[in-house]
mmCIF file of all heavy atoms in Angstrom:
data_model
loop_
_atom_site.group_PDB
_atom_site.id
_atom_site.type_symbol
_atom_site.label_atom_id
_atom_site.label_comp_id
_atom_site.label_asym_id
_atom_site.label_seq_id
_atom_site.Cartn_x
_atom_site.Cartn_y
_atom_site.Cartn_z
ATOM 1 N N MET A 851 0.811 -1.174 0.022
ATOM 2 C CA MET A 851 -0.031 0.046 -0.074
ATOM 3 C C MET A 851 0.932 1.195 -0.097
ATOM 4 O O MET A 851 1.111 1.973 1.057
ATOM 5 C CB MET A 851 -0.861 -0.002 1.184
ATOM 6 C CG MET A 851 -1.979 1.065 1.174
ATOM 7 S SD MET A 851 -2.725 1.373 2.756
ATOM 8 C CE MET A 851 -3.612 -0.144 3.017
ATOM 9 N N THR A 852 1.557 1.451 -1.088
ATOM 10 C CA THR A 852 2.395 2.573 -1.117
ATOM 11 C C THR A 852 1.836 3.685 -2.309
ATOM 12 O O THR A 852 1.252 3.269 -3.177
ATOM 13 C CB THR A 852 3.813 2.266 -1.627
ATOM 14 O OG1 THR A 852 3.710 1.652 -2.890
ATOM 15 C CG2 THR A 852 4.464 1.472 -0.574
ATOM 16 N N ARG A 856 0.960 7.718 1.073
ATOM 17 C CA ARG A 856 1.235 6.505 1.990
ATOM 18 C C ARG A 856 2.584 5.951 1.635
ATOM 19 O O ARG A 856 2.486 4.779 0.866
ATOM 20 C CB ARG A 856 -0.029 5.600 1.984
ATOM 21 C CG ARG A 856 0.183 4.379 2.823
ATOM 22 C CD ARG A 856 -0.176 4.724 4.286
ATOM 23 N NE ARG A 856 -0.397 3.432 5.067
ATOM 24 C CZ ARG A 856 -0.641 3.552 6.286
ATOM 25 N NH1 ARG A 856 -0.672 4.669 7.017
ATOM 26 N NH2 ARG A 856 -0.717 2.509 7.060
ATOM 27 N N PRO A 857 3.719 6.361 1.890
ATOM 28 C CA PRO A 857 4.988 5.810 1.489
ATOM 29 C C PRO A 857 5.237 4.469 2.126
ATOM 30 O O PRO A 857 4.536 4.071 3.154
ATOM 31 C CB PRO A 857 6.091 6.755 1.904
ATOM 32 C CG PRO A 857 5.463 7.533 3.000
ATOM 33 C CD PRO A 857 3.960 7.538 2.682
ATOM 34 N N ALA A 858 6.179 3.729 1.632
ATOM 35 C CA ALA A 858 6.408 2.276 2.125
ATOM 36 C C ALA A 858 7.149 2.371 3.567
ATOM 37 O O ALA A 858 7.040 1.438 4.284
ATOM 38 C CB ALA A 858 7.353 1.549 1.289
ATOM 39 N N GLY A 859 7.656 3.478 3.904
ATOM 40 C CA GLY A 859 8.484 3.548 5.087
ATOM 41 C C GLY A 859 9.794 2.972 4.932
ATOM 42 O O GLY A 859 10.062 2.418 3.943
ATOM 43 N N ASN A 860 10.613 3.074 6.031
ATOM 44 C CA ASN A 860 12.047 2.524 6.021
ATOM 45 C C ASN A 860 12.230 1.283 6.652
ATOM 46 O O ASN A 860 13.335 0.702 6.864
ATOM 47 C CB ASN A 860 12.928 3.629 6.610
ATOM 48 C CG ASN A 860 12.925 4.941 5.735
ATOM 49 O OD1 ASN A 860 12.108 5.817 6.090
ATOM 50 N ND2 ASN A 860 13.677 4.941 4.660
ATOM 51 N N ALA A 861 11.191 0.641 7.325
ATOM 52 C CA ALA A 861 11.345 -0.533 8.115
ATOM 53 C C ALA A 861 11.770 -1.725 7.193
ATOM 54 O O ALA A 861 11.296 -1.689 6.014
ATOM 55 C CB ALA A 861 10.133 -0.900 8.905
ATOM 56 N N PHE A 862 12.596 -2.718 7.650
ATOM 57 C CA PHE A 862 12.925 -3.913 7.016
ATOM 58 C C PHE A 862 12.963 -5.087 7.896
ATOM 59 O O PHE A 862 13.331 -4.823 9.032
ATOM 60 C CB PHE A 862 14.287 -3.600 6.186
ATOM 61 C CG PHE A 862 15.477 -3.385 7.114
ATOM 62 C CD1 PHE A 862 16.253 -4.290 7.495
ATOM 63 C CD2 PHE A 862 15.615 -1.961 7.481
ATOM 64 C CE1 PHE A 862 17.332 -3.949 8.290
ATOM 65 C CE2 PHE A 862 16.736 -1.674 8.356
ATOM 66 C CZ PHE A 862 17.626 -2.577 8.738
ATOM 67 N N PHE A 867 9.977 -14.064 4.763
ATOM 68 C CA PHE A 867 8.688 -14.478 5.051
ATOM 69 C C PHE A 867 8.263 -15.701 4.206
ATOM 70 O O PHE A 867 7.209 -16.393 4.644
ATOM 71 C CB PHE A 867 7.598 -13.265 4.735
ATOM 72 C CG PHE A 867 7.545 -12.259 5.796
ATOM 73 C CD1 PHE A 867 8.368 -11.045 5.538
ATOM 74 C CD2 PHE A 867 7.035 -12.384 6.977
ATOM 75 C CE1 PHE A 867 8.416 -9.985 6.499
ATOM 76 C CE2 PHE A 867 7.142 -11.331 8.069
ATOM 77 C CZ PHE A 867 7.839 -10.216 7.808
ATOM 78 N N VAL A 877 11.837 -7.105 12.906
ATOM 79 C CA VAL A 877 11.550 -5.980 11.862
ATOM 80 C C VAL A 877 12.331 -4.792 12.505
ATOM 81 O O VAL A 877 12.216 -4.429 13.709
ATOM 82 C CB VAL A 877 9.940 -5.706 11.835
ATOM 83 C CG1 VAL A 877 9.789 -4.496 10.857
ATOM 84 C CG2 VAL A 877 9.378 -6.828 11.412
ATOM 85 N N PHE A 879 13.247 -0.754 12.567
ATOM 86 C CA PHE A 879 12.744 0.448 12.286
ATOM 87 C C PHE A 879 13.809 1.461 12.488
ATOM 88 O O PHE A 879 14.198 1.806 13.663
ATOM 89 C CB PHE A 879 11.528 0.836 13.175
ATOM 90 C CG PHE A 879 10.235 -0.018 12.922
ATOM 91 C CD1 PHE A 879 10.223 -1.224 13.473
ATOM 92 C CD2 PHE A 879 9.308 0.485 12.154
ATOM 93 C CE1 PHE A 879 9.072 -2.037 13.363
ATOM 94 C CE2 PHE A 879 8.120 -0.292 11.973
ATOM 95 C CZ PHE A 879 8.173 -1.664 12.437
ATOM 96 N N ILE A 907 -1.356 -14.736 11.920
ATOM 97 C CA ILE A 907 -0.401 -13.671 12.662
ATOM 98 C C ILE A 907 -0.838 -13.680 14.047
ATOM 99 O O ILE A 907 -2.033 -13.623 14.492
ATOM 100 C CB ILE A 907 -0.809 -12.294 11.952
ATOM 101 C CG1 ILE A 907 -0.399 -12.442 10.425
ATOM 102 C CG2 ILE A 907 0.040 -11.252 12.720
ATOM 103 C CD1 ILE A 907 -1.129 -11.393 9.654
ATOM 104 N N ARG A 938 1.624 -21.234 7.735
ATOM 105 C CA ARG A 938 2.613 -20.248 8.127
ATOM 106 C C ARG A 938 2.186 -19.519 9.383
ATOM 107 O O ARG A 938 1.046 -18.908 9.415
ATOM 108 C CB ARG A 938 2.992 -19.349 7.022
ATOM 109 C CG ARG A 938 4.016 -18.142 7.471
ATOM 110 C CD ARG A 938 4.421 -17.327 6.175
ATOM 111 N NE ARG A 938 3.367 -16.766 5.502
ATOM 112 C CZ ARG A 938 3.466 -15.783 4.619
ATOM 113 N NH1 ARG A 938 4.611 -15.530 4.102
ATOM 114 N NH2 ARG A 938 2.397 -15.272 3.953
ATOM 115 N N ILE A 940 3.139 -16.251 11.706
ATOM 116 C CA ILE A 940 3.972 -15.016 11.870
ATOM 117 C C ILE A 940 3.753 -14.699 13.286
ATOM 118 O O ILE A 940 2.687 -14.238 13.749
ATOM 119 C CB ILE A 940 3.436 -13.870 10.946
ATOM 120 C CG1 ILE A 940 3.689 -14.377 9.477
ATOM 121 C CG2 ILE A 940 4.310 -12.688 11.186
ATOM 122 C CD1 ILE A 940 3.144 -13.285 8.423
ATOM 123 N N PRO A 972 3.609 5.467 8.211
ATOM 124 C CA PRO A 972 5.131 5.110 8.038
ATOM 125 C C PRO A 972 6.078 6.192 8.128
ATOM 126 O O PRO A 972 7.343 5.896 8.189
ATOM 127 C CB PRO A 972 5.005 4.583 6.489
ATOM 128 C CG PRO A 972 3.754 5.156 5.969
ATOM 129 C CD PRO A 972 2.842 5.464 7.118
ATOM 130 N N GLN A 979 4.755 4.157 13.129
ATOM 131 C CA GLN A 979 5.450 3.360 12.210
ATOM 132 C C GLN A 979 5.141 1.881 12.368
ATOM 133 O O GLN A 979 4.963 1.160 11.499
ATOM 134 C CB GLN A 979 6.867 3.571 12.217
ATOM 135 C CG GLN A 979 7.252 5.153 11.639
ATOM 136 C CD GLN A 979 8.834 5.175 11.781
ATOM 137 O OE1 GLN A 979 9.647 4.445 11.369
ATOM 138 N NE2 GLN A 979 9.206 6.351 12.286
ATOM 139 N N ILE A 980 5.135 1.507 13.632
ATOM 140 C CA ILE A 980 4.811 0.029 13.935
ATOM 141 C C ILE A 980 3.387 -0.310 13.286
ATOM 142 O O ILE A 980 3.277 -1.421 12.685
ATOM 143 C CB ILE A 980 5.050 -0.330 15.377
ATOM 144 C CG1 ILE A 980 6.643 -0.230 15.838
ATOM 145 C CG2 ILE A 980 4.420 -1.636 15.727
ATOM 146 C CD1 ILE A 980 6.678 -0.193 17.332
ATOM 147 N N ALA A 981 2.516 0.448 13.700
ATOM 148 C CA ALA A 981 1.034 0.357 13.248
ATOM 149 C C ALA A 981 1.093 0.134 11.777
ATOM 150 O O ALA A 981 0.421 -0.606 11.142
ATOM 151 C CB ALA A 981 0.219 1.347 13.795
ATOM 152 N N ALA A 982 1.718 1.174 11.222
ATOM 153 C CA ALA A 982 1.796 1.195 9.691
ATOM 154 C C ALA A 982 2.361 -0.021 9.021
ATOM 155 O O ALA A 982 1.852 -0.541 7.967
ATOM 156 C CB ALA A 982 2.409 2.434 9.256
ATOM 157 N N TYR A 983 3.435 -0.579 9.637
ATOM 158 C CA TYR A 983 4.003 -1.794 9.190
ATOM 159 C C TYR A 983 3.070 -3.021 9.222
ATOM 160 O O TYR A 983 3.014 -3.791 8.234
ATOM 161 C CB TYR A 983 5.357 -2.172 9.884
ATOM 162 C CG TYR A 983 6.142 -3.178 9.270
ATOM 163 C CD1 TYR A 983 7.043 -2.913 8.184
ATOM 164 C CD2 TYR A 983 6.034 -4.579 9.546
ATOM 165 C CE1 TYR A 983 7.798 -3.842 7.535
ATOM 166 C CE2 TYR A 983 6.734 -5.462 8.930
ATOM 167 C CZ TYR A 983 7.637 -5.197 7.928
ATOM 168 O OH TYR A 983 8.312 -6.218 7.330
ATOM 169 N N LEU A 984 2.401 -3.089 10.307
ATOM 170 C CA LEU A 984 1.346 -4.078 10.575
ATOM 171 C C LEU A 984 0.302 -3.944 9.468
ATOM 172 O O LEU A 984 -0.106 -5.013 8.771
ATOM 173 C CB LEU A 984 0.768 -4.120 11.964
ATOM 174 C CG LEU A 984 1.732 -4.532 13.098
ATOM 175 C CD1 LEU A 984 1.311 -4.131 14.354
ATOM 176 C CD2 LEU A 984 1.944 -6.084 13.010
ATOM 177 N N THR A 985 -0.223 -2.677 9.284
ATOM 178 C CA THR A 985 -1.270 -2.461 8.295
ATOM 179 C C THR A 985 -0.883 -2.678 6.914
ATOM 180 O O THR A 985 -1.637 -3.489 6.179
ATOM 181 C CB THR A 985 -1.744 -1.062 8.488
ATOM 182 O OG1 THR A 985 -2.077 -0.727 9.754
ATOM 183 C CG2 THR A 985 -2.950 -0.738 7.436
ATOM 184 N N ASP A 986 0.335 -2.390 6.606
ATOM 185 C CA ASP A 986 0.656 -2.288 5.209
ATOM 186 C C ASP A 986 1.399 -3.619 4.667
ATOM 187 O O ASP A 986 1.421 -4.082 3.575
ATOM 188 C CB ASP A 986 1.619 -1.238 4.785
ATOM 189 C CG ASP A 986 0.775 0.193 4.911
ATOM 190 O OD1 ASP A 986 -0.315 0.161 5.142
ATOM 191 O OD2 ASP A 986 1.647 1.208 5.060
ATOM 192 N N HIS A 987 2.203 -4.302 5.709
ATOM 193 C CA HIS A 987 3.064 -5.324 5.417
ATOM 194 C C HIS A 987 2.655 -6.674 6.047
ATOM 195 O O HIS A 987 2.894 -7.807 5.311
ATOM 196 C CB HIS A 987 4.520 -5.041 5.667
ATOM 197 C CG HIS A 987 5.109 -3.863 4.972
ATOM 198 N ND1 HIS A 987 5.471 -3.873 3.559
ATOM 199 C CD2 HIS A 987 5.146 -2.536 5.267
ATOM 200 C CE1 HIS A 987 5.839 -2.685 3.220
ATOM 201 N NE2 HIS A 987 5.723 -1.867 4.163
ATOM 202 N N ILE A 988 2.097 -6.669 7.222
ATOM 203 C CA ILE A 988 1.772 -7.940 7.811
ATOM 204 C C ILE A 988 0.389 -8.449 7.546
ATOM 205 O O ILE A 988 0.311 -9.589 7.123
ATOM 206 C CB ILE A 988 2.063 -7.802 9.387
ATOM 207 C CG1 ILE A 988 3.515 -7.445 9.639
ATOM 208 C CG2 ILE A 988 1.731 -9.007 10.203
ATOM 209 C CD1 ILE A 988 4.546 -8.496 9.346
ATOM 210 N N PHE A 989 -0.605 -7.606 7.842
ATOM 211 C CA PHE A 989 -1.999 -8.014 7.748
ATOM 212 C C PHE A 989 -2.203 -8.469 6.165
ATOM 213 O O PHE A 989 -2.987 -9.566 5.961
ATOM 214 C CB PHE A 989 -2.907 -6.929 8.194
ATOM 215 C CG PHE A 989 -2.950 -6.654 9.628
ATOM 216 C CD1 PHE A 989 -3.208 -5.417 10.150
ATOM 217 C CD2 PHE A 989 -2.724 -7.736 10.529
ATOM 218 C CE1 PHE A 989 -3.254 -5.098 11.381
ATOM 219 C CE2 PHE A 989 -2.775 -7.505 11.936
ATOM 220 C CZ PHE A 989 -3.055 -6.157 12.253
ATOM 221 N N PRO A 990 -1.745 -7.780 5.267
ATOM 222 C CA PRO A 990 -1.950 -8.365 3.784
ATOM 223 C C PRO A 990 -1.414 -9.709 3.562
ATOM 224 O O PRO A 990 -1.865 -10.469 2.647
ATOM 225 C CB PRO A 990 -1.208 -7.289 2.867
ATOM 226 C CG PRO A 990 -1.153 -6.014 3.690
ATOM 227 C CD PRO A 990 -1.024 -6.615 5.148
ATOM 228 N N MET A 991 -0.633 -10.171 4.422
ATOM 229 C CA MET A 991 -0.045 -11.649 4.231
ATOM 230 C C MET A 991 -0.962 -12.638 4.937
ATOM 231 O O MET A 991 -0.763 -13.919 4.750
ATOM 232 C CB MET A 991 1.410 -11.753 4.795
ATOM 233 C CG MET A 991 2.451 -11.097 4.037
ATOM 234 S SD MET A 991 4.083 -11.486 4.655
ATOM 235 C CE MET A 991 4.294 -10.210 5.902
ATOM 236 N N GLY A 992 -1.915 -12.183 5.764
ATOM 237 C CA GLY A 992 -2.523 -13.093 6.705
ATOM 238 C C GLY A 992 -3.897 -13.532 6.251
ATOM 239 O O GLY A 992 -4.588 -12.857 5.453
#
Side-chain angles (χ1 to χ4, degrees):
M851 192 196 291
T852 59
R856 185 74 169 176
N860 296 96
F862 58 96
F867 289 98
V877 181
F879 293 83
I907 299 154
R938 175 172 59 172
I940 300 177
Q979 289 180 48
I980 293 168
Y983 191 86
L984 290 162
T985 302
D986 296 346
H987 300 282
I988 297 293
F989 292 146
M991 287 189 273

